[in-house]
Amino acid sequence: MYYRYNLNPYLFVWNKVADNIFPFQSCETKAFHINNQFVLFVNNALSTQVYISPNDSTWNQAPTQTTGLPTPCHVRDIVQKQDTLYYIDNNQLFYSTNLLSWTAVDYSTAAFTLINMLFEYNNKAWCIIQDKQIKQLKLATIIGDSIIPMTNITGLTDGYLHSNFPISDFAATEFESSSERPRAMIVGGRNINGDPINTRWNLEYIKNNDTYRLKDFTISQPTFHTLTGASIVQYGGQLMMFGGIDNDLKWNSNILYSDDEGMNWYIPDTANNQLPIEYQSRQNQSVIVHNNSLYIIGGQSNSISFS
């Protein structure tokens, strides 16, 4: 399924604009807006295909096959930095500048193990790595095809991430703070042991000394607990969260929003913002902001993949 609403300060109007984009019943998806078009990656465990739309409703019926990506490919972990896409698997960094042809760079001889992509933030692609000797996690950025461990982040323990920092199934987004500083929020997910977690991490760039500050916002409990497979974006001056599932396998069927940069989360007034009746709860959906509209694309339930 695929929905959007147009920006209005008080009223959120949702419409379905496309359906049946792909034919598979069980697959993983990730959508982007790149090169002035909507792009949907679909992996059905056998191959990764790309569906393209020049607007938001007309999609090519004959998808294009990618080359160079591993099989299966967890396309939800692909990260976009401007016109380049990045993906990590089996200690290899994969990247593409044309959506379809992917190049692999092997990092098996590096001093660290590649864990997962994280997000685009402050004009950099970020990823998570693990020191091979002491098995601790760190953040790194990617320049071209080079992975550079970050050394200018405060709020860490001896330069390493907390054991409850997520490495998969998290929600993350870049946004601008009220003080006009670049920030990023990482919510929920699974830690290095595979356990679902209830954490909110905030990363802020301090321009005057070219450093980053990582803070744990978990102490301020929102209206959700452990949460995996959610999506988060900044829209209309607030952070908005969609989808996901908790540790008790309960689906997050509500839109959540935060007007204090991720410290606290609330359910909006359903008179002004409520998804259509036919919308089904899901996880691993893509959420895109484009031209003052918000798009929810794909995702999965217990039994189907939404197209």
Side-chain angles (χ1 to χ4, degrees), residues 6 25 42 46 59 61 64 70 77-78 87 100 113-114 125 138 149 155-156 170 184 197 204 207 226 234 282 286:
N6 295 321
Q25 292 299 310
V42 179
L46 299 176
W59 292 79
Q61 296 301 307
T64 306
D77 294 331
I78 296 175
Y87 177 69
L100 303 177
T113 300
L114 305 187
K138 297 192 71 171
L156 305 176
F170 49 80
I197 51 179
E204 182 178 17
K207 186 176 181 179
T226 58
Q234 185 182 39
R282 62 194 67 193
S286 298

Side-chain angles (χ1 to χ4, degrees), residues 61-275:
Q61 296 301 307
T64 306
Q65 185 76 33
T66 62
T67 59
L69 283 172
T71 300
C73 176
H74 296 291
V75 295
R76 176 167 161 77
D77 294 331
I78 296 175
V79 165
Q80 174 187 354
K81 178 190 174 292
Q82 297 176 347
D83 295 338
T84 303
L85 299 175
Y86 292 98
Y87 177 69
I88 282 174
D89 184 81
N90 196 29
N91 223 21
Q92 290 182 302
L93 173 67
F94 298 83
Y95 68 93
S96 175
T97 57
N98 66 3
L99 306 177
L100 303 177
S101 301
W102 291 73
T103 300
V105 181
D106 183 59
Y107 273 84
S108 59
T109 60
F112 49 81
T113 300
L114 305 187
I115 301 299
N116 202 359
M117 294 301 303
L118 185 57
F119 48 36
E120 179 188 10
Y121 169 54
N122 203 25
N123 200 33
K124 296 180 175 67
W126 293 65
C127 64
I128 306 167
I129 61 176
Q130 184 181 49
D131 186 284
K132 285 184 176 178
Q133 290 189 336
I134 62 175
K135 305 299 182 183
Q136 295 292 317
L137 298 174
K138 297 192 71 171
L139 294 179
T141 57
I142 303 172
I143 299 179
D145 60 6
S146 299
I147 296 179
I148 303 171
M150 295 294 286
T151 58
N152 60 338
I153 302 178
T154 63
L156 305 176
T157 302
D158 298 326
Y160 296 101
L161 294 168
H162 190 276
S163 60
N164 248 11
F165 192 88
I167 67 163
S168 66
D169 297 326
F170 49 80
T173 193
E174 177 182 20
F175 66 98
E176 187 176 85
S177 70
S178 57
S179 58
E180 299 183 349
R181 288 180 175 177
R183 282 189 173 183
M185 174 66 64
I186 307 104
V187 178
R190 297 180 183 274
N191 62 19
I192 192 68
N193 298 318
D195 301 321
I197 51 179
N198 177 22
T199 56
R200 269 82 59 210
W201 295 93
N202 185 279
L203 186 63
E204 182 178 17
Y205 178 60
I206 313 299
K207 186 176 181 179
N208 59 3
N209 58 8
D210 192 29
T211 61
Y212 294 86
R213 179 170 56 204
L214 184 67
K215 296 184 69 175
D216 184 1
F217 278 11
T218 309
I219 56 173
S220 188
Q221 298 296 327
T223 56
F224 59 89
H225 299 285
T226 58
L227 191 65
T228 60
S231 299
I232 182 174
V233 294
Q234 185 182 39
Y235 185 77
Q238 58 192 8
L239 295 178
M240 300 188 70
M241 188 185 304
F242 301 84
I245 189 170
D246 67 16
N247 199 32
D248 295 323
L249 302 182
K250 294 180 180 178
W251 295 88
N252 174 33
S253 58
N254 297 307
I255 300 171
L256 298 174
Y257 77 94
S258 173
D259 54 12
D260 56 7
E261 301 179 359
M263 288 290 290
N264 297 282
W265 294 83
Y266 309 95
I267 299 173
D269 184 350
T270 56
N272 296 327
N273 189 356
Q274 186 173 21
L275 290 165

